[in-house]
Amino acid sequence: MQAALLIDTSDNLGVALRQLKAGEAVSLNGQEVILTDDIPAKHKFTLNPMAKGERVTLYGVTVGIMMDDIAAGGLIHTENLKHDADGFSETRQKSEDWIAPDVSHWSEKTFDGFHRNDGSVGTSNHWIVVPMVFCETRNVNAIRTAFERSLGYEKTSHYENLAQELVEHYQKGGTSESLAGISCENLDESPHKRIFPNVDGIKFLTHAMGCGGTRDDAEALCGLLAGYITHPNVAGATVLSLGCENAQLEILEEAIRKRSPNFDKPLLTYRQQAFSSEQAMLETAIKDTFIGLVDANQSTRQPAPLNHLCLGVECGGSDGFSGISANPTLGAASDRVVALGGKVILSEFPELCGVEQEIVDRCVSDEVADQFVSLTSSYAERARAVGSDFSQNPSPGNIKDGLITDAIKSAGAAKKGGTSPVVDAFDYPGWATKSGLSLLCTPGGDVESTTAMAGAHANIIVFTTGLGTPTGNPVTPVIKVSTSSELAERLPDMIDFDTGSIIRGEKSLDELAEQMLELIIEVASGRQQTKAQRLGQDDFQPWKRGVSL
């Protein structure tokens, strides 16, 4: 296994691929560097002596400025490097024509999906229950309690059984030692438990919005909810409204028409203030929803060309290997989806800091470039207006594992978008309409971003992680990809795909990208469940517009 890596020939930092000791000699690009500090795996070290104020480059772009003089072979950390990034303009500079990867192997392949009347194809078939306002959360949870176990969708009965066994053992005089020895059985997920085998789940999109805040907040929430209701993975929706909230049903219905002018899915809406009692509303909603599920169960999976894939790309809990293994692998898989005529959505604008010019140069038109620059500049300005900045994006976990500045994190994060041309840039809560790579303005927060991409009609999300995260989504399968084999082995209940073989030099990027695409097809066809699906990890967090990094 190689000791260290030079990512780009113009870089003045190397990356440790394993724990390196002070005094150890490392050879990179024909240059021998004697390390002056211990260098933890994933962290960076200088190739030459550097002076205070000197620009630091990684991935071929500026990632910071030295705050102190440092010897060759010295460890880069938060005390000697501060964030800085290359500037950018709206002007597209000449970039090389994109050479699409060879996808002839997949040109005739299909996935088994749910075909909707508007021509879209879902990778799953869900019914969703949505509150227009947080006041309806308890009623949504009442419907959840009524349906999840009775229809065979609940994911926690084994924990309830454990608690019941503890209660019974305690009541019989069990000691603390004997109670601690009781173990939890695995969840029985047999498909035969489902009353509706062709409905993958009934999902509950609770949130803390809908009233208070601004009218723009209400408009954005309704747009997001409309994105889920019109999503190809959704068969129908039950919507609960109190009646007096800012997020009115009429706003939602208008947002639905914008996304789907010929919308024809079942949409069951209930205003609680129009009913004689809470029970009257819930009885009606539960009966109507059950009948809707009977109809949704008539849908079956049928073959669909791969150009019906809409891939959302995400990274979270990132580490110093993210931009070397998992993100470039996902980027290569993204390029293959684009080459097959599918859609790819890249979001998390605070994590594109320092690579904006590269993205501008990849835009297919001045109009798309202008839209991207306007969105990201406006976002950065809002952050500065409240005393914040994109530089504050890296979390303590990111920093501990080698992502010292936002520019370092961003340069690696952008790799998951591949190299294809950028065909569109749109604001939250918009949706993808064009084949190819689109940019969606969202925060860098994992759940805000994945929530938004699903709302933009991503029917598969691939999520890379170096530290481990359970994040999932209510309607879109989320494939979790590890940056290292150590993580995949330590958190097997979270990780679906391991790219650690790239760090060890055992497999090529193309090999893993092709394997990843095969996994995407299997998940899209319902033949393989992701770990997040098995855990019932249904994270849903609307972005309350403002500063969230």
Side-chain angles (χ1 to χ4, degrees), residues 249-286:
L249 284 171
E250 289 78 9
I251 303 175
L252 174 67
E253 290 163 354
E254 175 61 25
I256 289 172
R257 285 192 292 271
K258 285 181 181 178
R259 287 158 177 78
S260 181
N262 298 313
F263 181 76
D264 62 354
K265 294 178 184 177
L267 180 65
L268 313 177
T269 61
Y270 307 88
R271 280 190 171 94
Q272 185 172 359
Q273 291 169 345
F275 283 82
S276 60
S277 67
E278 176 187 285
Q279 180 172 331
M281 180 186 76
L282 287 175
E283 281 185 6
T284 304
I286 288 170

Side-chain angles (χ1 to χ4, degrees), residues 3 5 20 75 112 134 144 148-149 166 180 187 190 220 242 263 273 289 306 341 373 411 432 503:
L5 177 68
L20 303 175
L75 174 67
D112 294 334
F134 53 82
R144 183 199 304 267
E148 279 194 332
R149 177 168 287 196
L166 290 169
L187 176 66
S190 303
L242 178 59
F263 181 76
Q273 291 169 345
T289 300
L306 298 184
V373 170
I503 301 299

Side-chain angles (χ1 to χ4, degrees), residues 116 124-128 228-229 231-237 265 475:
R116 306 303 181 187
S124 55
N125 191 38
H126 294 289
W127 190 281
I128 59 174
Y228 276 74
I229 291 168
H231 197 290
N233 289 4
V234 172
K265 294 178 184 177
V475 305

